[in-house]
Every structure is written in C-alpha cells, then in structure tokens.
Amino acid sequence: MRRVALGAVLVGLALTLLGCPKELPQDASPEELYQSGVEAYGKRNWQTAINALQRFLFLDPGHIKADSAAFLIGESYYEQKQYLTAAAEFLRLAQNRPAGPLADDARFRACQAYGKLSPRPELDQEFTLEAIVQCRSVTLLYPGSPYAGQAAEQVKELTDKLALKVYLSAEYYYKRKAYESAIVYLEHLLENFRGAAVEPLALLKLWEAYLRTGYRQEADDIEARLLREYPDSPEAQKLAELSSGDGG
C-alpha cells in the first residue's frame, strides 16, 4: 500500500512540475513573459501561453502589447474549445479597448465563440441569441471592418436557426391537429423572420393550416404571397399541385 501511495505522490509531483514550465521563472520580466507566451502559442501549448500572458498582463497591464496578449489568451481558450471562457476574454478586450486595434477582431471572435455554443434548433437558443448580438455589434460598431461581411453572414445563419426552431414548434402542433396553435407559431415566424431560409416552407404550412381551419381568405392571401415571393421554390410547386386538387 505504501508503494502505491508513494507512486501516486511521485506521479502527482511529476504532473505539478510539468505544469510549471521552465520558461516561466518567477522573476521573469514582462517582456520575457510576453515572448514566452507568444512562443507557447505558436507551439500550440495553449495553457502555457495563457499562464505566461496572464502574468504579463498582471505585471504590466498598460504595456503596448497588452491588447495582443489579451487577444492571444482568448484564442488559446478558443483553441481548447473552452468557448464560453474565450468569449468572455474577447469581450473584455473589446469593451475595455473599444477603439483599440484589435477591438473588431475581438468582437468577431466573441461572435464565433458563442456561435460554437449554439445548439440544435429544437434546444434552448440562449447562446445563439448572444452570438447574434456580438455579430451585429461588429457590423454596427465597425462597419469598415474586414470581418463585417463574415459577421453579417453568421447573423443570417444563426437567425435562420431561430426561425427553424419556431417552425419545428408549429410543425409539432400541426401534426397533432392543433392547427390554431400551429397558426400562431407560423404567423409569428413570418412576421419576425422575413427572408429566413425556412420562410417558403412556413408559408406552405400556414396555407395548409388555414385551409384546415376554414380560413379560406387567409389561405388565398398566403397562396398569393408564396407564389409571388418564391415562384420557383419547391414549396410553390407543391402548393400549385395541392391547390389544383382542392388543397386538402
């Protein structure tokens, strides 16, 4: 038993020593710490990079390379798939230095980090909403940023996911013949997610739901809209087929 315990102690000691790399001596200067952090980052030694750069910022938060260090800390967490921590680091930099040279970079990376946390459409979309907020902040605060276009694309992709979540809820009720509830969700989707990828499908489903509940005029209006706005879509084709057969 003693040998087992001693072995465990030795393993623990070895791991501790490994966690205290020689390139991070206690008396290292800020410049040495920054250089060590950058080198560790380049070698994909993410935690070593974080340790060195955090110590660097603690010793000299006003250093000319402080923004770069803060950004690399966020990147190191991102590379370890610690997206929530990475987003917090990027946002701290963007908020503390909104006019700094890396402010738009940090905002965009926060947008991407939250985007990585965005779950399947049927699940809670808290992180999706936060990703949209951060992506929009790039386009609003930094319209000239090279990331503005990518941020706008990600907003579209994430918004499509929110619209799909609403559609899936409507489909759930429709399949259970709760047509009035399905109509509520579909009308909400069409009012709040104009241009979403799922919009033609939502129009078709709403047309069917209106017919199921006897709302003929509303169904005709939706039919006209689908054929007008998405004339070449598969949904418009299907509606034409269904309509010619009295629409169900």
Side-chain angles (χ1 to χ4, degrees):
M1 292 294 291
R2 285 186 180 180
R3 289 182 180 177
V4 173
L6 179 58
V9 170
L10 291 175
V11 170
L13 179 59
L15 291 173
T16 301
L17 292 174
L18 287 173
C20 300
K22 294 179 180 178
E23 64 267 26
L24 298 180
Q26 290 300 314
D27 59 347
S29 68
E31 289 73 17
E32 290 171 332
L33 289 168
Y34 179 81
Q35 189 60 37
S36 293
V38 171
E39 290 176 0
Y41 180 85
K43 295 177 182 178
R44 303 177 65 85
N45 295 330
W46 311 123
Q47 194 55 52
T48 299
I50 291 169
N51 294 342
L53 294 170
Q54 285 180 336
R55 282 180 57 191
F56 162 75
L57 289 174
F58 177 77
L59 292 176
D60 196 351
H63 196 284
I64 191 173
K65 295 179 180 176
D67 286 12
S68 174
F71 188 79
L72 289 179
I73 289 172
E75 289 287 355
S76 296
Y77 280 118
Y78 189 97
E79 291 292 346
Q80 295 180 91
K81 299 184 179 181
Q82 297 183 41
Y83 299 121
L84 194 57
T85 304
E89 294 293 337
F90 288 131
L91 284 178
R92 183 180 296 113
L93 171 58
Q95 291 166 354
N96 290 342
R97 294 271 291 160
L102 293 175
D104 60 328
D105 303 67
R107 285 278 182 186
F108 181 61
R109 291 301 274 161
C111 151
Q112 291 186 309
Y114 279 120
K116 288 289 188 180
L117 294 167
S118 177
R120 300 192 309 275
E122 63 271 20
L123 301 178
D124 180 79
Q125 297 299 309
E126 176 185 359
F127 290 127
T128 305
L129 290 168
E130 189 59 40
I132 290 173
V133 168
Q134 298 310 324
C135 288
R136 282 179 175 160
S137 72
V138 176
T139 60
L140 292 173
L141 298 175
Y142 310 100
S145 169
Y147 303 110
Q150 295 178 65
E153 289 177 8
Q154 189 146 1
V155 167
K156 177 67 169 65
E157 178 183 330
L158 294 167
T159 302
D160 281 347
K161 181 181 284 189
L162 295 180
L164 180 56
K165 177 179 175 63
V166 178
Y167 179 80
L168 291 175
S169 296
E171 190 175 49
Y172 171 86
Y173 287 108
Y174 186 93
K175 287 180 177 178
R176 285 153 182 78
K177 299 183 179 181
Y179 301 120
E180 294 284 358
S181 296
I183 288 171
V184 170
Y185 278 97
L186 292 166
E187 288 180 339
H188 171 78
L189 189 161
L190 294 171
E191 181 179 351
N192 293 281
F193 296 96
R194 292 299 301 265
V198 76
E199 187 173 30
L201 196 56
L203 286 166
L204 177 61
K205 186 62 67 176
L206 183 57
W207 176 77
E208 293 176 315
Y210 279 147
L211 288 179
R212 295 287 185 182
T213 50
Y215 298 146
R216 185 73 237 189
Q217 182 57 57
E218 288 81 356
D220 290 343
D221 292 341
I222 289 297
E223 178 178 358
R225 177 177 166 183
L226 177 55
L227 296 176
R228 180 178 67 252
E229 296 183 8
Y230 300 97
D232 301 321
S233 67
E235 290 78 16
Q237 206 168 35
K238 184 175 180 181
L239 185 147
E241 294 171 0
L242 292 172
S243 184
S244 64
D246 292 330

